[in-house]
Amino acid sequence: NHTILKLEYFIIADAKTLKPVNRKYKNKAYRAFIAVYADDIRLIDNIALN
């Protein structure tokens, strides 16, 4: 029996506004946000990228 993870979302966002970004700029801070399901358990996390 093994658990399969199902990705709900993975977003890289501006750390100040939390708005998703498509391009990286110098002197800006970013965070990555992720949500996945492990069977019926929803796991969420975020991390600073700079």
Side-chain angles (χ1 to χ4, degrees):
N1 214 12
H2 63 283
T3 301
I4 296 175
L5 299 178
K6 183 176 178 185
L7 180 66
E8 182 179 349
Y9 63 80
F10 178 77
I11 298 169
I12 296 177
D14 181 294
K16 289 184 182 179
T17 66
L18 301 182
K19 292 183 180 179
V21 297
N22 294 317
R23 183 173 293 182
K24 181 179 184 279
Y25 295 98
K26 289 183 179 180
N27 302 321
K28 283 207 154 209
Y30 299 95
R31 292 194 78 82
F33 298 86
I34 191 168
V36 298
Y37 280 93
D39 292 327
D40 61 345
I41 300 170
R42 186 170 182 250
L43 305 170
I44 59 171
D45 205 356
N46 73 87
I47 188 169
L49 297 176
N50 314 53

